[in-house]
């Protein structure tokens, strides 16, 4: 410790068997800045080690020639028992070689006993300061190591030939077996190292991840290297994609309802003229037949615009509490006639009642649209399944337009083993007028309407599709808890 007069008062332990030498050491410190130090004296190695068990010392002065051991053996025994204790060894004049060995093995310094009068105090002070400094450096290194090890971002130091010199645990988790090669390849391809790049990695465990990667040129062991930092943005990207999709749908929805409104007016005008022509006595029967065809087309157009307009006016739909099971029993009868001609159809109902606040006709349309799509995607005789159940979701879960909140839901699962969809189609199915069917075979409005109705019911859609294997849509509707007495 340094006191206010600038003197250094340390706690020292002198391990020295010769009492005369011990007295000499005290004498030598007289009149030096270390004069006020507290010096404890032990006359053997084992007594010294016992002292260290009892107390803390700034420095140990260790005579290498002790009764129990001599030379380097003394130091080794001491160091094994107290590896973190700063120590200066005291040697005879002809022990220069041993002194150096002890310093290499961990001693702070050495002092030749026969010639230490002028340097004892300085050596003690330097040894203590040096050991404090290296203690601080060690602590700082430990802190940095904790930061690297606990960081969620990956950090990699990679040589220009692709050798990884350092990788923290987050990076090791992310890059997987072929990660180093991919990193180097991308670094070499990158035109501008200042810009971040997005790369996918296949970790040895878990699903593929998307990482934002930044690269800096650094010097490592005096040779050029790259410092690569990488952040897992898989979840962020998914949330952003969902948000973009939701915004796009909102914009398209507004546009579509505007067009549907105008289109409805045009249809009203055409319908008026068509009715006039169809009922006119002045025209022949063939002409009237044409007029009736026009009216038929107008009627189809009316149904379409009615559906679209209903989506844009949620306040107009009237909701009642219904049990999904009984609603879908009616739907089953309705679709049986058409679908059973070509496909097998299975409805599985929930054991419990599933009350939801819904517009029955609209929900029926959701199931019919999904079933028609499932049928169109499935070869003849293939099976389509509709399952109804209810469940508690304890965690938020990803759905088409974002994260659905936890809660009690009634669920309709519509499952086919048809052609499935690649991701570029799956991303677009909810857009109005998006269809992969031949011209005239599909309007591309089915899923748009499904999306709108489910949204109007405060529900969520989850879509899982694999090309060649089939598709499952899940519709989650909040259970009407007020009417939920029968459920636990
Ligand atoms: N179960 C499914 N399996 C495979 N592809 C599907 C499935 N459901 C929807 N799709 C794809 O989504 C597209 C859009 O479906 P949507 O119902 O909106 O329109 P459509 O079926 O093409 O036309 P419409 O519904 O007017 O007959 C379909 O053309 C098809 O490519
Ligand atoms: Mg459809």
């Amino acid at each position: 410790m340094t006191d206010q007069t600038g003197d250094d008062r340390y706690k020292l332990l002198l391990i020295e068997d010769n009492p005369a030498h011990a007295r000499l050491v005290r004498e030598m410190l007289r009149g030096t800045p270390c004069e006020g130090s507290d010096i404890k004296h032990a006359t053997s190695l084992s007594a010294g080690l016992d002292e260290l068990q009892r107390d803390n010392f700034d420095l140990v002065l260790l005579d290498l020639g002790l009764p129990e051991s001599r030379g380097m053996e003394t130091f080794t025994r001491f160091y094994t028992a107290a590896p973190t204790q700063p120590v200066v060894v005291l040697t005879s004049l002809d022990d220069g070689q041993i002194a150096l060995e002890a310093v290499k093995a961990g001693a702070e310094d050495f002092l030749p006993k026969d010639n230490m009068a002028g340097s004892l105090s300085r050596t003690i002070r330097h040894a203590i300061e040096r050991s404090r400094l290296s203690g601080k450096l060690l602590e700082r290194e430990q802190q940095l190591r904790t930061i690297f090890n606990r960081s969620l971002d990956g950090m990699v130091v990679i040589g220009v030939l692709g050798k990884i010199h350092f990788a923290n645990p987050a990076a090791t988790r992310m890059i997987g077996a072929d990660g180093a090669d991919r990193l180097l390849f991308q670094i070499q391809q990158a035109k501008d190292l200042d810009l971040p790049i997005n790369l996918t990695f296949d970790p040895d465990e878990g699903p593929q991840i998307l990482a934002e990667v930044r690269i800096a040129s650094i010097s490592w062991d005096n040779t050029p290297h790259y410092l690569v930092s990488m952040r897992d943005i898989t979840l962020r990207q998914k949330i952003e994609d969902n948000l973009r999709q939701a915004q796009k749908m909102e914009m398209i929805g507004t546009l579509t309802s505007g067009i549907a409104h105008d289109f409805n007016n045009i249809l009203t005008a055409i319908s008026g003229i068509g009715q006039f022509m169809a009922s006119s006595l002045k025209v022949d029967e063939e002409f009237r037949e044409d007029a009736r065809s026009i009216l038929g087309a107008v009627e189809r157009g009316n149904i379409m615009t009615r559906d679209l307009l209903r989506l844009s006016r949620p306040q107009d739909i009237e909701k009642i509490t219904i049990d999904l099971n009984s609603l879908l029993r009616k739907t089953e009868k309705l679709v049986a006639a058409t679908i059973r001609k070509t496909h097998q159809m299975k409805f599985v109902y929930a054991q419990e009642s599933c009350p939801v606040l819904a517009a029955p006709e609209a929900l029926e349309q959701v199931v019919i649209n999904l079933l028609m799509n499932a049928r169109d995607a499935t070869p003849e005789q293939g099976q389509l399944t509709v399952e109804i159940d209810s469940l508690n979701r304890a965690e938020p879960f990803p759905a088409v337009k974002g994260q659905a909140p936890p809660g009690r839901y009634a669920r309709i699962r519509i499952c086919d083993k048809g052609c499935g969809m690649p991701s570029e189609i799956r991303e677009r199915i909810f857009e109005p007028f998006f269809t992969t069917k031949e011209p005239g075979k599909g309007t591309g409005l089915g899923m748009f309407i499904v999306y709108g109705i489910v949204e109007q019911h405060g529900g969520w859609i989850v879509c899982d599709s694999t090309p060649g294997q089939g598709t499952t849509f899940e519709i989650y509707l909040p259970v009407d808890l007020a009417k939920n007495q029968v459920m636990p």
Side-chain angles (χ1 to χ4, degrees):
M1 303 306 112
T2 303
D3 69 10
Q4 282 168 348
T5 63
D7 284 354
D8 294 322
R9 294 190 176 161
Y10 300 118
K11 271 187 86 172
L12 305 175
L13 173 64
L14 173 64
I15 307 179
E16 165 66 79
D17 60 330
N18 187 331
H21 286 178
R23 212 171 315 119
L24 215 56
V25 167
R26 288 182 198 275
E27 286 300 318
M28 283 176 195
L29 290 181
R30 198 155 288 158
T32 72
C34 296
E35 182 171 16
S37 295
D38 172 11
I39 305 174
K40 204 154 242 171
H41 178 206
T43 51
S44 68
L45 185 58
S46 51
L49 292 175
D50 285 350
E51 278 300 338
L52 285 175
Q53 294 281 330
R54 279 194 289 275
D55 213 346
N56 292 323
F57 292 91
D58 294 315
L59 188 72
V60 170
L61 297 169
L62 174 67
D63 178 16
L64 290 187
L66 291 171
E68 309 114 293
S69 63
R70 307 202 66 76
M72 203 45 202
E73 192 202 338
T74 309
F75 179 75
T76 312
R77 283 175 58 185
F78 177 87
Y79 193 70
T80 312
T84 56
Q85 173 63 53
V87 55
V88 166
V89 294
L90 307 179
T91 59
S92 329
L93 254 191
D94 51 359
D95 272 353
Q97 187 57 33
I98 294 177
L100 278 179
E101 260 180 64
V103 169
K104 274 193 201 153
E108 293 294 336
D109 210 339
F110 69 93
L111 280 165
K113 278 165 73 171
D114 308 322
N115 185 22
M116 62 184 185
S119 53
L120 179 62
S121 161
R122 185 167 35 88
T123 305
I124 289 173
R125 293 164 79 198
H126 283 184
I128 292 175
E129 288 315 313
R130 210 172 24 246
S131 89
R132 282 183 187 158
L133 198 66
S134 65
K136 275 192 192 135
L137 282 175
L138 217 64
E139 198 179 319
R140 181 54 51 89
E141 193 193 317
Q142 203 60 46
Q143 288 167 340
L144 285 175
R145 200 173 286 281
T146 309
I147 292 172
F148 285 127
N149 287 349
R150 302 295 297 272
S151 165
L152 296 178
D153 288 344
M155 269 166 268
V156 181
V157 175
I158 185 167
V160 288
L161 297 176
K163 184 168 188 286
I164 288 191
H165 293 273
F166 172 87
N168 70 345
T172 312
R173 265 197 309 278
M174 282 186 223
I175 59 182
D178 72 335
D181 293 346
R182 299 233 316 106
L183 266 180
L184 185 69
F185 178 75
Q186 290 296 336
I187 292 170
Q188 286 162 345
Q189 298 293 309
K191 292 199 175 61
D192 186 352
L193 286 190
D194 289 335
L195 294 176
I197 40 176
N198 287 357
L199 291 182
T200 51
F201 291 100
D202 286 301
D204 296 331
E205 278 174 30
Q208 192 179 63
I209 63 149
L210 179 69
E212 184 183 85
V213 175
R214 288 170 186 271
I215 304 152
S217 297
I218 57 162
S219 170
W220 182 273
D221 289 340
N222 284 328
T223 43
H225 278 69
Y226 301 109
L227 170 65
V228 182
S229 45
M230 40 209 305
R231 174 164 294 179
D232 184 346
I233 55 164
T234 319
L235 186 66
R236 189 179 89 193
Q237 188 73 27
K238 200 172 169 64
I239 292 171
E240 281 174 6
D241 285 352
N242 284 354
L243 200 69
R244 245 195 311 277
Q245 171 83 350
Q247 283 167 345
K248 188 174 77 182
M249 292 298 293
E250 205 175 305
M251 202 183 70
I252 292 174
T254 313
L255 188 73
T256 311
S257 69
I259 294 173
H261 188 264
D262 286 354
F263 192 60
N264 205 33
N265 292 342
I266 296 170
L267 286 178
T268 310
I270 297 174
S271 163
I273 298 167
Q275 275 165 8
F276 174 73
M277 283 161 49
S279 57
S280 171
L281 297 173
K282 293 192 194 125
V283 294
D284 59 21
E285 188 49 31
E286 198 180 332
F287 194 85
R288 259 199 293 276
E289 192 50 40
D290 289 345
R292 279 196 282 271
S293 301
I294 292 173
L295 287 174
V298 167
E299 178 57 20
R300 286 197 295 281
N302 271 333
I303 292 173
M304 198 172 97
T305 49
R306 188 201 62 201
D307 286 343
L308 292 178
L309 285 172
R310 192 163 56 184
L311 290 182
S312 65
R313 289 200 293 262
Q315 65 279 12
D316 286 1
I317 65 165
E318 199 182 315
K319 291 186 196 146
I320 52 166
T321 300
I322 43 164
D323 175 26
L324 263 193
N325 286 314
S326 40
L327 176 79
L328 290 195
R329 275 184 219 281
K330 286 190 200 128
T331 316
E332 180 178 7
K333 285 199 193 96
L334 204 72
V335 288
T338 47
I339 292 185
R340 285 240 159 81
K341 277 189 200 152
T342 51
H343 291 74
Q344 301 173 47
M345 204 174 59
K346 189 169 141 201
F347 273 68
V348 183
Y349 293 95
Q351 301 288 319
E352 69 281 6
S353 85
C354 302
V356 288
L357 193 62
E361 222 186 281
L363 267 198
E364 199 163 69
Q365 195 177 1
V366 166
V367 179
I368 291 173
N369 285 4
L370 289 172
L371 265 177
M372 294 302 172
N373 283 347
R375 179 202 59 190
D376 295 344
T378 309
E380 288 201 1
Q381 300 316 316
Q383 181 165 296
L384 318 177
T385 317
V386 181
E387 265 176 83
I388 300 108
D389 63 1
S390 67
L391 71 168
N392 267 326
R393 299 255 0 199
E395 303 282 335
F397 56 101
V400 167
K401 58 181 174 177
Q403 293 256 84
R408 180 147 194 100
Y409 289 99
R411 174 172 63 177
I412 311 170
R413 300 178 84 227
I414 291 171
C415 212
D416 68 64
K417 301 242 173 309
C419 60
M421 290 173 267
S423 59
E424 57 281 11
I425 289 189
R426 201 175 58 225
E427 277 158 21
R428 300 195 56 197
I429 55 174
F430 296 102
E431 291 175 18
F433 309 110
F434 174 79
T435 177
T436 55
K437 291 173 186 165
E438 289 167 34
K441 287 275 165 62
T443 61
L445 284 176
M447 292 306 296
F448 176 69
I449 288 168
V450 165
Y451 182 93
I453 293 176
V454 171
E455 192 169 51
Q456 282 177 353
H457 284 75
W460 300 85
I461 306 177
V462 174
C463 172
D464 183 19
S465 187
T466 312
Q469 292 188 20
T471 304
T472 299
F473 282 100
E474 292 184 336
I475 309 288
Y476 287 82
L477 299 168
V479 162
D480 187 1
L481 289 170
K483 307 282 172 174
N484 194 23
Q485 281 92 353
V486 282
M487 276 194 238

